[in-house]
Amino acid sequence: MFIGTEKLTYTYMSGTPFAATALNEVSFSLGKGEITLIIGPSGSGKSTLIQHLNGLLKPSSGRVYFKGQAIGSDKGELLRLRRRIGLVFQIPEEHFFSETIYDEIAFAPRNLGLAESEVRIRVKDALEKVGLRAEQLQYRHPFQLSAGQKRLVAVASVLSMNPEVLILDEPTAGLDPSHRRNLFALLDNLNRSGGLTVIISTHHLDDVVALAHSVFVLQGGRMVLAGPPSEIFTTREKLYDLGLSLPSVTEIMHSVKEKGLPVKTNIYTLAGARQEINRLKGRPGR
Amino acid sequence: MSRSITLGQYLPGESLIHRLNPRMKILALLLFLILLFSLKTYGGLTALFFIALGMIAVAKVPFRYFLRGLKPILYIVVFALIIYLFFTKGGVVLLRIGFITVESEGVREGIFVIARLFTLILFSLLVTLTTTPLSLTYGMSYFLKPLRYFGLPTEEVAMIMAIALRFIPTLMEESQRLMRAQVARGADFETGSIFRKAKSLVPLIVPLFVSAFRRADELALAMEARGYRLGARRTRMYEDLIAPRDWAVLSFILVLFSAALAFGL
Amino acid sequence: MVNRPEIIVEARNLAYHYPGEEATSFPALSGINVAVYRGEYLALIGPNGSGKTTLLKLFNALLVPSDGEVRVEGVSTIDEVEIPRIRRICGMIFQNPDNQLVATTVEEDIAFGLENLALPSAEIRQRVGEVARMLNLEHLLQQPPHLLSGGEKQRVAIAGVLAMQPGCILMDEPTAMLDTASRRDVNDMVRMLRQNHNIAVVHVTHFPEEAAFAERVIVLNQGRLVRQGPPKAVLTDLSLLHSLGLQSTAASELAALLREDGFELPSQLLHNRELVDSLCSLELKS
Ligand SMILES: Nc1ncnc2c1ncn2[C@@H]1O[C@H](COP(=O)(O)OP(=O)(O)OP(=O)(O)O)[C@@H](O)[C@H]1O
Ligand SMILES: Nc1ncnc2c1ncn2[C@@H]1O[C@H](COP(=O)(O)OP(=O)(O)O)[C@@H](O)[C@H]1O
Ligand SMILES: [Mg+2]
Ligand SMILES: [Mg+2]
């Protein structure tokens, strides 16, 4: 296993009346170079799980693995780990601490000990990748941005570290459709060309399910479903029961099928739906 | 975000102590403190200590919260004890190291002062653990009211205190947040010499202040959006009524005072 | 319609630029003329950074126009003295549920705005009780807000605004950070407000499915109002939306693709149900 957990349990504030068990014996694993989705209603433990994967939280019990080795508590090792596993927090404001957007994005490469000329290139590159214009923004304060721009800067600030694994906690909340698709296209691209392993937690499944190799569903701190998208999204009742939804396109295909038209439902993109509906008519789609 | 428990944080409850009027609680706390500092004998102090324990039981607040509250002052306690042990003279010599002596009067005084400090903290924690920060500040602003005549904007002072109270956990949260945000991007706080570690903390300090101000700014925005204006007249959801139980508590304290006087404690 | 609907908020030739904004970039808003009518449900859409949040803040007098003016029930927001009244009429809900709750219990939070209005205590308690019942928050009144779920926090925020009996509620992406179930919850509530209380709602959103339920949609781009009209007109103008990097609902997008392929689908189709019904009526089964 490349990254995974074994019977991972985590309790916030244990030993107080506020103790909350956020993860309960969660075991899962994913392979190198995969794109993984973690979904589940809010409070199901997604953010808690994610923060274990790069050692920000320490398990109350159980283990977390990276490259087949249990993540221990050796400080130097954790440091090296965190430089290889990038994490974008759920709330962009939680992410910022610098005076300018440039410094924000430069922070990680500087920690890697790169020369300033190299840092400059990384910053420009990262901003370009997420679809922001460097010359316009880079000397502004991170908080002088619109909601969506902040999120993109948060992603850029981790991309500039060139991590092997990129974990994004609900990265698309507040992004407009084109920035959202741009972000997913970027992740897909980095995954295909650079072998980047990607883990995404999200409530909003449009445009992302088509990229995913596997999907994990959390509820109440337990891993309740796991499998490839085609398996997870074939029965919608189960997801409804969990308070979850399907990608909009898949939803439409399910409804069409319910009305008696013989369509496949494991379809996650507009192009796929178009093709499938054309097939009914006996005409191949473009 | 973080739900960490901070010193003296409010614990919801329904007990008699929880329901006392905050003004009365503050007044009672003051009276208890006066009593505490006017007591001269171990007997009196012990009695008051047990009264504090009794009230804690009534409030149904688990005792470990008090222990937690006592922890931060441990250093002060040790320091005070040393001062008393070595510098207060009188009575029998208990210990002699070279020309330094520990005498029985020092031990007696030292323990007395510390017991007093503990009791004092128990009483203060009892108030902060059973009163929401907001009603606590409203209570305080009541006692500040006379200062209005000297031009002090007491309502605003109360609001500032309320916000400050709301902010203590926020600030602690904020420093944790900054640390996590930087650690997640490969900052190194933990390896290396102490000097290196201390140096690596420097980049945390400026952002901590900046973001504290930003948080304050955001909160101010949210408050303003709901019509809060500095200096404008406000009302409160609950009028500040003094109930019979408040009078009962006050009489109880007065009885204690007279007892202390009568028995010369 | 005999008598014209009453205007609650009106922007005339409105412009705003943030202090220190570089001269090279466009102002956050310019040349905006728009009105919000009593009881209407208005959706505000546009790419990231197009000025949606800025416009709401100007409506609520949190920002003062650089040029032109905003009038709330006929009163200009430049008028310092009128600001409390303006903020009572135009309540605001922010995107991040964590940054808008000001008090230490839910009850105190709902009461906060009413206390600012200096209402008598008895009336405050009565109104808090009323909105808590309406929004189903009674069981949470004594909880500290930070222990609530995101959806509950947004409901508390809405309750706090609603208690002030506003004429208009401004919502800045209230559902962006919520899961599917809470999003549905908040959206149901918004519809209920309009129907039962005749309160205007201005809803900023990146979800076309939410905008499709509005009565009117306004599109901003680079600080300018580029289009307004009923969803059936605006959200089916795909060439406009796509040119701005926006999208319509999945149903509408898919319908457009299928129309290209020769399917005869109605042109103003927005909701899944409409698409599914029309597809089935094409009798593809044969
Ligand atoms: N405090 C600020 N100081 C300077 N410029 C700002 C500030 N806040 C926003 N801006 C800029 O003003 C423009 C409009 O921002 P606004 O927040 O209104 O956008 P928005 O439409 O709400 O975007 P989003 O969909 O991302 O929330 C953007 O270009 C943004 O960078
Ligand atoms: N800092 C924290 N302190 C205490 N409890 C927390 C904290 N963060 C999350 N929790 C609790 O842990 C559970 C899982 O939360 P989280 O991992 O944030 O879920 P998700 O990301 O799926 O919304 C929830 O019950 C939540 O209330
Ligand atoms: Mg989360
Ligand atoms: Mg915005």
Side-chain angles (χ1 to χ4, degrees):
Chain A
M1 97 176 64
F2 184 60
I3 293 184
T5 62
E6 196 181 279
K7 297 215 169 162
L8 171 62
T9 299
Y10 187 81
T11 306
Y12 283 102
M13 295 193 302
S14 56
T16 75
F18 301 102
T21 298
L23 292 177
N24 206 331
E25 306 217 325
V26 171
S27 304
F28 84 111
S29 76
L30 55 96
K32 185 169 167 55
E34 284 188 358
I35 297 182
T36 302
L37 283 188
I38 298 181
I39 62 178
S42 86
S44 61
K46 302 182 295 293
S47 302
T48 310
L49 177 60
I50 279 175
Q51 289 175 55
H52 278 89
L53 299 182
N54 76 343
L56 272 185
L57 291 177
K58 307 234 153 58
S60 301
S61 74
R63 275 175 214 284
V64 183
Y65 291 94
F66 179 56
K67 294 196 172 165
Q69 292 211 321
I71 297 180
S73 49
D74 177 76
K75 301 207 162 114
E77 211 148 277
L78 275 176
L79 182 63
R80 256 166 286 141
L81 182 81
R82 292 193 187 115
R83 289 178 178 172
R84 287 193 290 182
I85 305 181
L87 169 63
V88 183
F89 289 104
Q90 177 170 2
I91 299 168
E93 280 87 346
E94 292 206 358
H95 205 94
F96 297 146
F97 46 80
S98 303
E99 291 295 303
T100 67
I101 290 163
Y102 181 90
D103 286 333
E104 198 64 58
I105 303 175
F107 185 81
R110 281 178 187 154
N111 275 331
L112 296 177
L114 299 182
E116 199 57 30
S117 58
E118 173 71 7
V119 169
R120 187 170 300 277
I121 296 172
R122 290 247 186 136
V123 172
K124 190 161 174 289
D125 189 46
L127 274 172
E128 242 159 47
K129 278 181 178 159
V130 297
L132 290 175
R133 266 175 297 173
E135 69 282 7
Q136 230 181 50
L137 293 172
Q138 60 183 344
Y139 297 115
R140 268 206 224 167
H141 195 282
F143 287 104
Q144 293 179 333
L145 291 174
S146 80
Q149 290 164 341
K150 279 182 201 157
R151 201 165 277 282
L152 294 170
V153 169
V155 174
S157 73
V158 174
L159 276 181
S160 64
M161 193 164 71
N162 272 356
E164 273 174 64
V165 180
L166 183 57
I167 309 177
L168 304 108
D169 197 355
E170 297 188 29
T172 57
L175 288 192
D176 67 35
S178 83
H179 282 106
R180 188 179 71 229
R181 272 173 299 170
N182 175 52
L183 176 62
F184 288 143
L186 169 70
L187 295 176
D188 192 36
N189 189 9
L190 292 174
N191 171 262
R192 283 170 198 275
S193 64
L196 181 74
T197 306
V198 183
I199 301 171
I200 304 170
S201 101
T202 182
H203 292 306
H204 195 60
L205 297 167
D206 287 1
D207 304 315
V208 66
V209 170
L211 312 179
H213 300 103
S214 52
V215 181
F216 293 95
V217 185
L218 279 174
Q219 195 208 23
R222 290 178 184 279
M223 193 68 87
V224 289
L225 288 174
S230 56
E231 221 169 82
I232 301 290
F233 297 110
T234 36
T235 50
R236 56 175 170 175
E237 283 66 31
K238 218 187 283 176
L239 291 174
Y240 283 169
D241 286 347
L242 294 171
L244 300 174
S245 57
L246 304 172
S248 321
V249 175
T250 320
E251 186 77 52
I252 292 175
M253 297 313 273
H254 271 285
S255 305
V256 170
K257 186 175 182 186
E258 227 161 52
K259 290 268 177 169
L261 300 189
V263 289
K264 283 192 275 183
T265 56
N266 57 342
I267 284 171
Y268 316 112
T269 61
L270 287 172
R274 177 191 201 172
Q275 198 172 5
E276 179 66 10
I277 290 172
N278 271 297
R279 192 179 60 82
L280 282 186
K281 221 180 164 189
R283 271 209 257 163
R286 269 174 278 177
Chain B
M1 285 285 306
S2 133
R3 290 134 218 222
S4 53
I5 296 173
T6 45
L7 169 71
Q9 186 183 306
Y10 171 65
L11 279 180
E14 291 283 311
S15 75
L16 171 70
I17 311 254
H18 279 91
R19 281 176 300 153
L20 285 179
N21 184 300
R23 274 188 279 164
M24 194 56 85
K25 281 197 248 193
I26 292 171
L27 183 63
L29 180 62
L30 272 175
L31 290 176
F32 270 119
L33 298 190
I34 293 173
L35 193 56
L36 199 56
F37 279 96
S38 50
L39 286 174
K40 296 274 181 304
T41 65
Y42 264 107
L45 192 56
T46 315
L48 206 55
F49 181 72
F50 277 101
I51 287 170
L53 289 187
M55 289 169 68
I56 289 172
V58 172
K60 297 204 185 81
V61 176
F63 197 69
R64 61 168 182 281
Y65 288 100
F66 291 89
L67 292 183
R68 210 169 286 174
L70 289 174
K71 224 190 264 167
I73 63 150
L74 223 55
Y75 292 107
I76 304 178
V77 167
V78 172
F79 185 67
L81 199 60
I82 291 174
I83 300 269
Y84 274 98
L85 287 186
F86 295 111
F87 294 96
T88 304
K89 303 297 174 195
V92 197
V93 175
L94 297 175
L95 189 70
R96 188 184 296 274
I97 314 165
F99 58 92
I100 300 170
T101 56
V102 175
E103 301 176 15
S104 62
E105 197 60 18
V107 174
R108 212 190 70 86
E109 287 260 309
I111 292 180
F112 190 82
V113 164
I114 286 161
R116 188 152 72 187
L117 190 62
F118 272 170
T119 317
L120 181 151
I121 288 179
L122 286 189
F123 277 117
S124 326
L125 282 177
L126 188 64
V127 171
T128 52
L129 282 167
T130 60
T131 320
T132 65
L134 209 58
S135 44
L136 203 59
T137 48
Y138 286 159
M140 289 201 212
S141 76
Y142 177 82
F143 291 104
L144 292 177
K145 237 174 214 160
L147 296 178
R148 263 244 123 131
Y149 300 106
F150 301 104
L152 189 76
T154 53
E155 284 283 323
E156 285 75 60
V157 170
M159 187 49 87
I160 289 168
M161 289 199 295
I163 299 295
L165 277 171
R166 187 191 176 284
F167 255 95
I168 292 166
T170 309
L171 261 180
M172 301 181 60
E173 217 172 81
E174 200 64 22
S175 58
Q176 278 172 11
R177 176 191 75 77
L178 283 167
M179 189 90 114
R180 279 180 352 143
Q182 300 200 358
V183 162
R185 274 189 262 158
D188 180 5
F189 291 114
E190 290 172 326
T191 62
S193 67
I194 292 195
F195 178 69
R196 234 190 75 90
K197 278 185 206 167
K199 218 176 104 194
S200 71
L201 288 177
V202 173
L204 279 181
I205 294 168
V206 172
L208 182 61
F209 275 93
V210 172
S211 73
F213 281 118
R214 181 184 54 76
R215 284 267 195 140
D217 219 41
E218 251 163 35
L219 189 68
L221 201 71
M223 288 170 64
E224 268 184 49
R226 291 218 258 149
Y228 179 75
R229 306 201 80 202
L230 214 62
R233 194 175 83 85
R234 304 183 79 234
T235 51
R236 283 172 203 162
M237 179 165 162
Y238 291 108
E239 301 103 326
D240 209 10
L241 294 179
I242 305 280
R245 57 173 172 267
D246 295 308
W247 292 118
V249 169
L250 194 60
S251 345
F252 173 63
I253 297 174
L254 292 179
V255 168
L256 287 181
F257 257 96
S258 0
L261 278 181
F263 297 104
L265 293 171
Chain C
M1 201 179 281
V2 189
N3 44 355
R4 295 194 53 192
E6 184 193 345
I7 291 177
I8 291 211
V9 187
E10 191 177 18
R12 286 194 202 144
N13 204 17
L14 175 66
Y16 187 80
H17 34 88
Y18 284 95
E21 223 171 7
E22 302 94 285
T24 51
S25 59
F26 51 87
L29 286 174
S30 57
I32 304 281
N33 286 295
V34 69
V36 181
Y37 298 95
R38 184 171 295 287
E40 83 166 325
Y41 183 10
L42 181 63
L44 188 53
I45 65 174
N48 289 133
S50 56
K52 307 179 291 296
T53 302
T54 310
L55 186 58
L56 292 198
K57 286 184 176 165
L58 283 157
F59 281 179
N60 186 258
L62 286 174
L63 296 177
V64 186
S66 306
D67 197 12
E69 63 172 358
V70 172
R71 286 180 174 273
V72 174
E73 288 196 344
V75 179
S76 167
T77 58
I78 296 176
D79 196 346
E80 277 281 322
V81 199
E82 294 289 346
I83 283 181
R85 211 166 72 87
I86 289 169
R87 299 218 170 116
R88 188 191 68 73
I89 298 168
C90 275
M92 180 134 172
I93 308 289
F94 298 87
Q95 179 192 51
N96 186 344
D98 281 310
N99 287 346
Q100 57 186 316
L101 301 183
V102 294
T104 44
T105 67
V106 167
E107 182 182 59
E108 281 173 353
D109 201 277
I110 300 177
F112 182 78
L114 301 174
E115 296 178 336
N116 291 334
L117 295 178
L119 297 179
S121 302
E123 186 174 349
I124 295 183
R125 284 197 299 271
Q126 186 222 333
R127 284 213 207 167
V128 169
E130 257 169 39
V131 293
R133 214 169 311 126
M134 215 156 73
L135 303 192
N136 205 1
L137 288 168
E138 278 168 310
H139 58 294
L140 297 176
L141 283 177
Q142 301 305 325
Q143 296 271 328
H146 64 119
L147 291 182
L148 306 180
S149 77
E152 286 167 342
K153 281 181 196 157
Q154 287 303 51
R155 254 164 48 207
V156 172
I158 293 175
V161 166
L162 197 59
M164 295 170 81
Q165 305 182 337
C168 174
I169 301 188
L170 312 168
M171 303 194 179
D172 192 2
E173 299 186 45
T175 59
M177 308 180 93
L178 305 184
D179 66 358
T180 313
S182 316
R183 178 147 32 106
R184 198 174 307 130
D185 230 38
V186 169
N187 283 328
D188 286 350
M189 191 169 304
V190 170
R191 263 163 249 158
M192 187 272 292
L193 291 184
R194 247 200 63 251
Q195 280 159 9
N196 306 348
H197 302 272
N198 203 27
I199 294 174
V201 173
V202 182
H203 184 169
V204 173
T205 181
H206 287 300
F207 294 110
E209 283 76 12
E210 291 180 347
F213 277 103
E215 287 158 313
R216 194 151 63 100
V217 180
I218 290 184
V219 188
L220 290 186
N221 185 43
Q222 304 207 334
R224 297 186 163 273
L225 194 160
V226 292
R227 181 78 196 264
Q228 60 175 316
K232 290 262 174 226
V234 176
L235 294 179
T236 50
D237 186 350
L238 294 185
S239 57
L240 170 81
L241 295 179
H242 291 177
S243 73
L244 303 181
L246 300 176
Q247 255 183 331
S248 186
T249 61
S252 166
E253 295 279 347
L254 182 55
L257 293 178
L258 292 175
R259 254 180 251 120
E260 276 178 29
D261 296 337
F263 286 83
E264 275 165 34
L265 295 167
S267 63
Q268 296 205 323
L269 179 165
L270 280 183
H271 300 283
N272 286 359
R273 193 175 20 79
E274 296 168 333
L275 174 64
V276 173
D277 288 348
S278 354
L279 274 179
C280 292
S281 65
L282 290 179
E283 292 191 19
L284 293 170
K285 267 178 263 187
S286 51

